[in-house]
Amino acid sequence: MPNTGSSSPEVPATPPVGLPLWLLAELTYRCPLQCPYCSNPLDFAAQGQELTTAQWFKVMAEAREMGAAQLGFSGGEPLVRQDLAELIGEARRLGYYTNLITSGIGLTEKRIAEFKTAGLDHIQISFQASDEQVNNLLAGSKKAFAQKLEMARAVKAHGYPMVLNFVTHRHNIDKIDRIIELCIALEADFVELATCQFYGWAHLNRLGLLPTREQLQRAERITNEYRERLKAAGSPCKLIFVTPDYYEERPKGCMNGWGSVFLTVTPDGTALPCHGARQLPVQFPNVREHDLKHIWYDSFGFNRFRGYDWMPEPCRSCDEKEKDFGGCRCQAFMLTGDASNADPVCAKSSHHGIILKAREEAEHAHLAIEELTFRNERNSRVIVRG
């Protein structure tokens, strides 16, 4: 097993390589919506041909043999894949717990029934806003909101837990109370109020999406008030509030450490230690050329930032590195140009001023939704051409 550690007294021994317990299958970059905060790579339009059904079967089997227990189907929009029910059925046969992460566009009562029969365990539906006009404007579809409402109710009717995701940002976070009220009306069991994290298209649109500190504090206060009301009423609804990294003083333990638990396979078969890593100047392996055992244990890409030996200061001598693993490598690269740097979110980082400047810019930003750069093939191709 690679990268077994250092005997230096200043640096704890690198822990042994863990198992890829969570497999994220990004089935496609195709999507009928154009959300300006999508985490897909900016150059998705230039990516290679999608894996076939048989190739996905092989990936799932290899990951399961290595210990993977949970499998998420995402995209783009995974419903675009006409073989989705087949993939779900094979995942069930292999013994996975499966999760479909979808916008709900392309979902029907018939397909929900097919997925249920195939063995799908869990469906998460995303909304853009509680207001139909804002939702549809962000999604780029006049029918999106009505479709999402219909499918959320249908998912519940078919016996699934109601799991909703709202990406919040400066254009909808002030309506957090209406968002929660909609979730209650839909009898949601779990609601993720995920304040935008700035990767992919969200990073490109940060000036128009990052809420102010005041907006964020108000939203969290209102969420906590609703938590108390729901608890007092005996409601099973759970509200999960996710704060953006930009308002933290310490970085998150991204992916529980690089190449530790999470394994992402992209539509063209590129394997990544997290869904954002494709942007890094690191050569990542492809499942068309290597089996997952080699990819996970032996490839350069998956070993590049494992453990502690790669760390520069201040991370290398920090007493919190076993908790945050140096923070997010993608964020370090996006903001400093060097993926080896300390995550600028950390107040100990010499680059923390970048985060402070972003917070200040948020106080004075006035971009309308229409001024954002939307995630679509035309814009992606323009970005590819430079």
Side-chain angles (χ1 to χ4, degrees), residues 35-38 124-131 134-135 138 164-183 191-199 202-203 205-206 208-223 227 239-247 369 372:
C35 305
Y37 46 74
C38 181
Q124 175 187 294
I125 294 182
S126 64
F127 279 77
Q128 280 69 33
S130 58
D131 173 85
V134 175
N135 187 101
L138 286 165
L164 302 179
N165 172 267
F166 280 81
V167 176
T168 59
H169 43 78
R170 68 182 303 116
H171 296 289
N172 66 4
I173 198 167
D174 291 334
K175 303 291 180 62
I176 195 80
D177 52 344
R178 297 186 189 179
I179 289 173
I180 296 172
E181 288 289 350
L182 174 62
C183 295
V191 179
E192 185 176 24
L193 303 166
T195 315
C196 204
Q197 303 293 342
F198 292 92
Y199 302 90
H203 179 65
N205 287 303
R206 188 184 73 199
L209 293 174
L210 183 64
T212 65
R213 182 182 291 278
E214 183 181 358
Q215 283 183 301
L216 188 68
Q217 289 175 338
R218 176 181 176 275
E220 190 163 18
R221 174 179 57 78
I222 290 172
T223 300
R227 283 174 174 155
L239 303 178
I240 303 165
F241 189 89
V242 182
T243 304
D245 290 357
Y246 280 59
Y247 288 100
I369 292 175
L372 301 174

Side-chain angles (χ1 to χ4, degrees), residues 52-75:
T52 65
T53 307
Q55 287 169 326
W56 276 117
F57 280 9
K58 180 173 180 288
V59 167
M60 292 190 295
E62 289 179 355
R64 186 78 182 102
E65 186 177 351
M66 292 172 64
Q70 185 159 335
L71 171 57
F73 293 110
S74 75

Side-chain angles (χ1 to χ4, degrees), residues 27-65:
L27 300 179
T28 181
Y29 285 140
R30 291 175 289 158
C31 184
L33 304 185
Q34 55 175 5
C35 305
Y37 46 74
C38 181
S39 63
N40 284 169
L42 299 178
D43 63 350
F44 72 85
Q47 302 301 334
Q49 187 176 9
E50 292 176 8
L51 296 179
T52 65
T53 307
Q55 287 169 326
W56 276 117
F57 280 9
K58 180 173 180 288
V59 167
M60 292 190 295
E62 289 179 355
R64 186 78 182 102
E65 186 177 351

